[in-house]
Structures are given as C-alpha cells and as structure tokens.
Amino acid sequence: MDSNMEKRVLDERLRQIFVELTSIDATSGKESAVADYIIRFVNNLGLKSYRDNAEELSGGNSGNVIVEIMGGGEYLLASHMDTPRSTTGLKHQFKDDRITSDGTTPLGVDDRGGLSSILFALEKAVENKTLKPCTLLFTVCEETTLAGSLYFKPAPNLKYGFIFDSYMTPGHFVTRTCGAINFELVIKGKSSHAGISPEKGINAIMVSAEAMTKFPFGRIDEVTTANIGSVNGGTNTNVVCDEVVLKGELRTDFVSHGEELMGKILTDFTGVCEKHGASMESKYFWDFLPYNITESDLPYIHFSQVAETLGIESVPAKSMGGSDANSLNAKGIKTINLGVGAQNPHGNDEFILYEDLSNASMLAYQLLTTEIKN
Ligand SMILES: [Zn+2]
C-alpha cells in the first residue's frame, strides 16, 4: 500500500465511534447524552466509571465522567464532551481524505475527534490487555467556562495530564499558553434632557469615549493583548446617557503583568471619570491562568518519546487560547494539550483528515499503554 492510499483509509471501528459520537447533539451544559454514551462504552469494556457533580458549578445537566483504571495511576488523558454549537441535522460527508459536514452544520469535531481517539484506543488496549494505570477525564463546559476542569477534584496521585483538544496536527502539543483576565467596567454619569438641560447631565458615553482613548487596544507586546469587545449604554437620542457598560479581556503570559496592566487601566479610567464628575464600578477575574511546561518536564519528555515510537514528529507549540489544560495546570497537574487535527473548529467547514484521526488515536493508545518513567 502506498502512503497516499493509507491516508484514505480510516479504521472502520474508529469511524463508527466518531460517527456515533458526532451524531449526539450536546452543546455546553447539555452534555448528558454524551456522558451516557461514554459510561455505556466504558462499562461494556468491563471498566468502572463515575460522574462527579460538576453541574453544581456549570449549571448544566451533567457532571464530568471519570474512569480510574487500576487505581487511577499518575497521569490522565482528557477531552471535553461539549460542542460550542449544535450539531443537530449533521450529515457526515466522507471525502477522499477527510470527514466533513454538508456545510449546513458544524461537524462537532472539536472535541469529538479527541473523544473518539481516546475511546477507540481504550477499547484496543482492553482487547490487547495492555492498559496501564491511568485516569480518563471527560469534561463539561470546556467551550464556555472551563467549569468541568475547574470543578474536577484530582486524586492525590495524579501528577501529569494529556489533553486531546488542539486543532493542530497530531504530534504538535501546546506547552505554553497565556492567561486571560475578563473585566467589566460600568461608567456612571447622570441623565438629563439632552435639549432642555444638557449641562445638568454627565454623559457616560462621552466619558467612556475619552477613557477608551487611554485603553491599549490590540497587541501590546510579544506576550500581551488587550481588547474591549462590547460597549453598551444609552436609551433615547434626547437623553444624556447615564450608564455605559464596557466588557473586555487582557491576555498575557505572566500573572504579574496582567495584574499590573489591569491596575493601570482602572487608574486611567477612574481619572477620566473623576475629571467629569462621573464614577466607575469595576470587576475582573482570571478566566484562565497561564501555564508553561518546559522540555525538562515529564509530560514533555514522555509525549516526545511516545510520538517518536510511532514515527510522528513531535512539535512543541504556544497557544493564545485557554483549554482544560489551563485549569489542570493551575491544580498542579502538569498538563499539555495535544493536537487532534480538528480543523476550522466551530465553523460549518470543520473537518478532520483520516490520517490525523488515526494518528491521534495511535497517540492515545501509546499513552494508555506506556508508563511514564520518573
Ligand atoms: Zn475543544
């Protein structure tokens, strides 16, 4: 078989699992049916699973699904059960080298590609009796709040994590991401009639506009970006506006950097408000924290070796987006996010190459069946 032919062949069983999973509609907070599928799948293999109570945090209809194999081991494999958009009406298209939808819905490949890879590999490892002690974690609400991984209470023995949830080609792995601050600023002025008594009012729109001239929009330096993504306020054209709500985010590799920048923005905005007799209420929180796994960290070393065994090139990468890896790293579980090859994620043109889905499942198999050498 030449290599071109190989790229066009997808294992029948892997294809079946992928089709079954992508046929379930489960947007963030509504993961229950996918959780049921995984629990049934795992039970059929003679393994035990349980659901935690992550819905207490997410407000959704399911907790995370957790499988502790042979005591749970030192490392976990994970992927998320939700999709950001509904896949109702999905019609799979099997092209020469890839699976797509018919263009009217997403394929749900983020992250059903990761889920299928892990479940397929798990089935193989059970059949071959090659499983090693480890934990499987299937999370809820990754796409919205990371609530599943934030809620997850890791067993004390867990030290390392491998997440199957990057759009990158299998072999690529995210070792570093920025963190992100979400903020909301409410600028409060005073309303009055815009024609009869404008001088009695304090226009929150005018104050906001002046304050925003001091905001560092866009890329600030190599590791920092800032954005105000929504501006809301005002009622009628004849009313001096009394309140404007600004929502935005900062992304940066360093927590101290983020705190400093947020502090400066608050000081600048408060200064402009005071100048005009307006006031400001503000709140902000870290949506996710940055992480940095270096080449001397075990997940880095282990994954590189595993990929090499399969002849897949391992390529460390940086990402400006958050994932469950950020929550797990914040809990002290050194975690990298692995490429699955879920391309054009969240669009109606989502696709995955047969080759990438195969490689992702082989990487999952190798991770499930190879102990980490401390
Ligand atoms: Zn994802």
Side-chain angles (χ1 to χ4, degrees), residues 131-148:
L131 260 183
K132 292 286 187 285
C134 63
T135 294
L136 307 180
L137 169 65
F138 303 103
T139 59
V140 295
C141 290
E142 192 278 341
E143 295 288 359
T144 47
T145 55
L146 305 178

Side-chain angles (χ1 to χ4, degrees), residues 303-339:
F303 178 74
S304 304
Q305 286 168 352
V306 156
E308 196 184 327
T309 313
L310 295 169
I312 295 171
E313 190 190 359
S314 66
V315 186
K318 194 202 161 181
S319 166
M320 283 301 271
S323 76
D324 285 336
N326 294 73
S327 324
L328 294 177
N329 276 300
K331 289 178 200 284
I333 301 174
K334 292 193 172 201
T335 303
I336 52 177
N337 187 9
L338 311 181

Side-chain angles (χ1 to χ4, degrees), residues 40 44 46 58 60 68 93 115 137 153 161 195 217 316 347 349:
R40 228 174 15 248
N44 286 340
S58 73
E68 289 171 340
Q93 311 289 307
L115 286 179
L137 169 65
K153 296 174 172 55
F217 282 95
D349 54 353

Side-chain angles (χ1 to χ4, degrees), residues 80 110-111 142-143 165:
H80 63 86
D110 176 8
D111 192 17
E142 192 278 341
E143 295 288 359
D165 187 27

Side-chain angles (χ1 to χ4, degrees), residues 164-299:
F164 283 74
D165 187 27
S166 160
Y167 67 91
M168 293 179 205
T169 308
H172 287 68
F173 59 114
V174 178
T175 56
R176 228 151 56 92
T177 79
C178 61
I181 289 177
N182 269 21
F183 63 79
E184 183 180 298
L185 310 174
V186 182
I187 306 221
K188 298 194 168 205
K190 195 174 152 204
S191 56
S192 70
H193 195 291
I196 298 167
S197 54
E199 46 286 297
K200 284 188 181 165
I202 300 168
N203 196 318
I205 292 174
M206 183 272 293
V207 177
S208 302
E210 186 176 324
M212 280 193 282
T213 62
K214 295 180 182 291
F215 187 85
F217 282 95
R219 192 173 300 285
I220 297 168
D221 57 45
E222 264 186 15
V223 297
T224 314
T225 60
N227 189 45
I228 291 173
S230 126
V231 179
N232 276 296
T235 50
N236 298 326
T237 54
N238 62 353
V239 178
V240 173
C241 170
D242 68 344
E243 185 174 293
V244 169
V245 180
L246 309 171
K247 290 181 184 172
E249 62 156 43
L250 308 176
R251 289 183 187 230
T252 174
D253 282 11
F254 304 104
V255 171
S256 58
H257 203 41
E259 293 287 344
E260 222 168 88
L261 183 58
M262 195 68 235
K264 182 173 183 320
I265 290 165
L266 294 179
T267 306
D268 287 350
F269 275 51
T270 305
V272 174
C273 286
E274 279 170 0
K275 190 174 121 192
H276 294 285
S279 63
M280 184 173 81
E281 284 172 9
S282 65
K283 56 183 176 194
Y284 75 90
F285 64 94
W286 282 91
D287 193 18
F288 53 88
L289 290 164
Y291 72 84
N292 186 12
I293 300 291
T294 67
E295 56 191 21
S296 59
D297 285 317
L298 274 176

